[in-house]
Amino acid sequence: MSVRYFVPADTTAIAVGADDVAQALAAALETRGEYGRIVRNGSRGAFWLEPLLEIEQHGRRVGFGPLSAAEVDAIVALPPEAREQHPLFLGDVEALPWFAAQRRLTFARAGLGDPLSLDDYLLRRGFDALERALEMAPEEIVQAIDDSGLRGRGGAAFPAGIKWRTVMDTPAGQKYIVCNADEGDSGTFADRLLLEADPYQLLEGMAIAGLAVGADTGYIYLRSEYPRAREVLRVALAKAEAAGYLGSNLAGSQRSFRIHLRIGAGAYICGEETALLESLEGRRGMVRAKPPLPAHQGLFGRPTLVHNVLTLAAATTVIADGAQAYAALGEGRSRGTLSVQLAGNVRRGGLVEVPFGVTLRQLLEDFGGGTRSGRPLRAVQAGGPLGAYLPESLWDTPLDYEALAAVGGMLGHGGLVLFDDSVDMARQARFAMAFCTEESCGKCTPCRIGAVRGTELLDRVIAREAPHSELALLEELCDTMEQASLCAMGGMTPAPVRSALAHFPEDFA
Amino acid sequence: MESEQLLAQLLYQYQDQPGGLLPLLHAVQADFGYIPADAVPPIARAMQLSAAEVEGVISFYHDFRRQPAGRHTLHICRAESCQAAGGEALVAHLQARLGIEPGQSSADGELTVESVYCLGNCACSPALRIGDATHARVDIARLDALLDSLLESAS
């Protein structure tokens, strides 16, 4: 019985030493003359355990982590029955409470096998959904997406079924599927993890979307900050096409779907869908006024379905398991699962996929384990740079789109950034404005000028040069930005500023 | 002469690609290390754009450089997750040790430091990237070790 060793080749795993671990492992096996296969899998997303080494033998797969290269030789030397004695022994990783309490659908495959192995993908129900979709009428596919209650996972949470139907109902002709993989929010990495750990799932979701709305061409717009995801995708696209899961004869159906990979160039605003379309067309990433909606006139003026990575991936779950199974999870109008990313000053950071409705506190404390610094947790920014800072009094809020909005928060792309009590909330408020200054596309005045004035105002507040009445001016400026900006960049930059002011006034006194 | 041929090849490769300007600029920068000023007129002609439009695109995106970078580029993350985990102390250390701010290159042309807003390693903040190699859970000792090996390999 052969032994298999798993060491993730994920960006974060490598960034904390997984390549060194893999090298030490190969050397240890060689010097001991042992036969074993080293699999460079994707990460499971338990980044607090990376670098993680898993050993599969006699049908049992056990983990060790987080470990350094220096510890590998001793672990390899252990006879199987003595492994449990090792201080870094984790046992079956999926049995750890951190995993057992999750409900993984989109990330069910992440970290189990070689992300680029089509055999591994097929073994784990890969392309089941595409095979089903090929036997369904477009109307049936769209109805299933609609019935599932799936909403856009990029941040805006728009009902996916409405978008799909709108594009499907436009007259036949050239249409496009655009995948927004410009994951720019700090505190988020779910798209990157999926792209690196299970890339075929995205390709499958895009092909299904193409069948449903009548598009034969897709684009993935990937941010340039993700070089490893780019390489994984490049190979995945080539392999899927060679195997007939993309191309002119989709899984033997005579139907066609092709995907082009495009790389961004370091502009946060291109995560906004219309700026992304401008960028794909080769221009500055300037936000477009809506209407027209991208569903009517999107890429190159043609009807276009634009979705985040996770939304397109979730479509495979909806089609494979059925809309009812997906809709059975969640709370209120937020159906299915939410991929939360625990980040910042956090002890057990990583990807936590749970049904909507889990409270913030459960995520911060039960999963996150509090701060890495060990100091008291003071603030949590939910939903990226445009999301509110939430104090402890709001941590019992359940995570669903409406419940969070009711307390002035936003779920966004599901990132939670933890801050301990050393944080200066006035500085965080200033950063929100400064970031907007840096990343505004400049098309509308409230965002372009407002962010500059907001930064200046907060500079004076921080320097204690501003009289208290200046805070009223700041509120007024926030009103203008919220109400008159063209998109969420200017419109939501006030959220972190106002929440900092409202919940942490002592930092502005 | 050689660089003119290289540019002509790239123009030929991308001029018919729909929305091909960004891929073309990426390719030019990958080969030349930056977008040379005298490449702009031929790029504009090939893409049927005005030079001003091409300049506008180059200046819009943080990735495109008008000047060559140092031999190595270090991208340090300045976004919230890294702020929460001590990232700004790394920035201060970089400034103290190298005497340059993000956006500048060392006098000997060895190292350029750039700010970046999120590398997607937020579960293990703070993070930085040297070339295509990302490093996470970086503290000052680790940063010093990385700089030592970079600057040593240079000498």
Side-chain angles (χ1 to χ4, degrees):
Chain A
M1 187 74 187
S2 69
V3 188
R4 290 203 295 172
Y5 298 85
F6 297 86
V7 183
D10 163 275
T11 296
T12 298
I14 292 172
V16 294
D19 278 353
D20 299 336
V21 167
Q23 245 175 34
L25 177 63
L29 292 177
E30 199 180 320
T31 45
R32 291 177 186 284
E34 278 182 39
Y35 175 76
R37 199 175 134 219
I38 301 174
V39 179
R40 297 305 302 269
N41 54 332
S43 173
R44 294 174 179 269
F47 291 116
W48 56 292
L49 294 175
E50 298 287 1
L52 174 69
L53 164 68
E54 289 179 272
I55 304 176
E56 185 185 70
Q57 192 172 16
H58 307 309
R60 186 170 183 224
R61 183 164 161 169
V62 297
F64 296 84
L67 82 174
S68 67
E71 291 160 314
V72 172
D73 193 64
I75 291 172
V76 172
L78 291 171
E81 62 279 5
R83 283 178 186 144
E84 296 186 18
Q85 312 303 324
H86 195 278
L88 295 177
F89 179 80
L90 299 164
D92 173 4
V93 174
E94 284 173 38
L96 295 172
W98 198 87
F99 273 105
Q102 297 193 36
R103 180 67 187 269
R104 288 204 166 190
L105 300 177
T106 298
F107 287 90
R109 275 182 291 259
L112 296 183
D114 175 354
L116 286 167
S117 161
L118 276 166
D119 289 341
D120 277 10
Y121 188 61
L122 289 163
L123 202 66
R124 299 190 170 97
R125 302 180 64 213
F127 296 118
D128 277 12
L130 180 61
E131 302 279 359
R132 284 190 77 166
L134 282 166
E135 286 165 13
M136 295 163 79
E139 170 59 36
E140 281 178 275
I141 302 175
V142 172
Q143 193 60 50
I145 297 297
D146 211 9
D147 292 343
S148 74
L150 177 65
R151 291 164 71 179
R153 296 285 188 257
F158 190 80
I162 297 180
K163 267 196 194 177
W164 289 45
R165 188 172 303 283
T166 309
V167 181
M168 177 181 73
D169 286 345
T170 59
Q174 183 64 58
K175 301 179 189 180
Y176 296 103
I177 308 297
V178 169
C179 170
N180 183 345
D182 194 44
E183 181 175 55
D185 288 357
S186 176
T188 66
F189 44 80
D191 295 350
R192 185 190 61 68
L193 177 62
L194 188 103
L195 295 172
E196 293 186 25
D198 197 14
Y200 295 121
Q201 188 183 178
L202 171 66
L203 310 188
E204 183 178 0
M206 289 180 73
I208 292 168
L211 292 172
V213 305
D216 67 357
T217 305
Y219 282 87
I220 300 171
Y221 186 90
L222 177 71
R223 65 198 299 256
S224 62
E225 291 85 346
Y226 288 177
R228 180 154 184 88
R230 177 181 67 214
E231 285 316 301
V232 172
L233 268 178
R234 204 176 48 76
V235 178
L237 284 166
K239 289 182 81 165
E241 184 141 358
Y245 290 105
L246 289 174
S248 56
N249 185 15
L250 212 51
S253 67
Q254 306 292 320
R255 294 160 79 177
S256 170
F257 192 74
R258 282 204 166 72
I259 298 176
H260 305 284
L261 176 61
R262 286 290 180 86
I263 307 300
Y268 176 76
I269 194 61
C270 290
E272 196 283 336
E273 62 176 0
T274 62
L276 185 154
L277 295 174
E278 286 289 306
S279 185
L280 270 180
E281 292 182 18
R283 285 191 289 274
R284 294 161 68 90
M286 304 285 275
V287 171
R288 295 177 185 171
K290 289 191 266 193
L293 297 170
H296 292 127
Q297 287 176 46
L299 186 62
F300 305 118
R302 305 299 311 171
T304 303
L305 183 70
V306 189
H307 269 312
N308 168 255
V309 173
L310 301 184
T311 320
L312 289 160
T316 65
T317 308
V318 171
I319 300 301
D321 296 348
Q324 302 318 320
Y326 196 81
L329 298 168
E331 191 175 281
R333 288 177 50 224
S334 305
R335 312 311 310 175
T337 55
L338 168 67
S339 301
V340 177
Q341 298 125 85
L342 294 171
N345 193 338
V346 60
R347 204 150 72 85
R348 293 193 293 263
L351 188 288
V352 174
E353 184 175 357
V354 283
F356 285 95
V358 171
T359 68
L360 207 46
R361 193 182 296 279
Q362 284 173 286
L363 287 160
L364 302 175
E365 292 174 0
D366 299 351
F367 286 98
T371 63
R372 190 171 356 134
S373 63
R375 299 173 65 106
L377 181 60
R378 181 163 184 236
V380 179
Q381 188 177 28
L386 309 176
Y389 285 97
L390 306 172
E392 181 167 10
S393 59
L394 296 175
W395 295 347
D396 293 310
T397 310
L399 282 195
D400 74 53
Y401 296 115
E402 280 70 32
L404 207 54
V407 299
M410 175 188 68
L411 206 41
H413 187 47
L416 297 178
V417 178
L418 283 69
F419 290 81
D420 71 14
D421 63 352
S422 65
V423 67
D424 177 346
M425 295 307 298
R427 293 211 160 272
Q428 296 309 123
R430 183 201 182 273
F431 177 78
M433 286 290 186
F435 183 70
C436 185
T437 308
E438 188 78 14
E439 298 297 333
S440 171
C441 80
K443 185 155 177 167
C444 72
T445 319
C447 177
R448 185 183 67 241
I449 309 289
V452 177
R453 295 291 169 257
T455 310
E456 293 167 354
L457 258 171
L458 280 160
D459 273 338
R460 295 176 55 211
V461 169
I462 289 168
R464 307 295 189 258
E465 285 168 4
H468 205 66
S469 61
E470 298 282 77
L471 288 180
L473 190 60
L474 183 61
E475 291 283 354
E476 204 176 288
L477 176 68
C478 285
D479 277 342
T480 306
M481 290 177 72
E482 277 177 8
Q483 289 163 20
S485 296
L486 197 53
C487 80
M489 179 91 231
M492 293 176 70
T493 287
V497 178
R498 290 190 132 155
S499 57
L501 274 164
H503 302 306
F504 306 93
E506 60 275 22
D507 287 14
F508 295 84
Chain B
M1 201 56 213
E2 202 177 302
S3 64
E4 272 170 38
Q5 274 174 4
L6 184 56
L7 182 63
Q9 223 168 47
L10 294 175
L11 296 177
Y12 180 75
Q13 193 181 339
Y14 289 98
Q15 64 188 357
D16 296 325
Q17 200 177 103
L21 183 57
L22 260 74
L24 171 60
L25 291 173
H26 272 306
V28 170
Q29 183 153 305
D31 281 341
F32 292 83
Y34 67 111
I35 316 278
D38 56 10
V40 171
I43 289 174
R45 273 195 300 277
M47 303 309 285
Q48 299 184 25
L49 297 166
S50 69
E53 284 171 303
V54 175
E55 292 283 356
V57 170
I58 296 169
S59 65
F60 185 85
Y61 295 96
H62 297 306
D63 283 2
F64 298 130
R65 311 186 57 88
R66 305 309 309 269
Q67 306 292 333
R71 207 159 70 90
H72 303 284
T73 300
L74 186 155
H75 282 92
I76 179 110
C77 181
R78 313 289 304 273
E80 291 91 335
S81 178
C82 288
Q83 292 170 16
E88 289 303 296
L90 298 179
V91 177
H93 186 72
L94 274 174
Q95 289 170 336
R97 176 164 168 180
L98 303 170
I100 54 172
E101 310 256 323
Q104 297 177 335
S105 300
S106 59
D108 59 5
E110 276 302 315
L111 185 65
T112 299
V113 177
E114 297 278 3
S115 295
V116 66
Y117 293 91
C118 200
L119 294 165
N121 296 277
C122 319
C124 299
S125 292
L128 59 83
R129 200 174 93 199
I130 298 170
D132 269 355
T134 306
H135 304 271
R137 282 185 207 138
V138 179
D139 55 17
I140 287 178
R142 178 91 185 110
L143 176 59
D144 271 331
L146 288 167
L147 288 176
D148 288 345
S149 71
L150 262 190
L151 301 177
E152 209 172 279
S153 71
S155 57

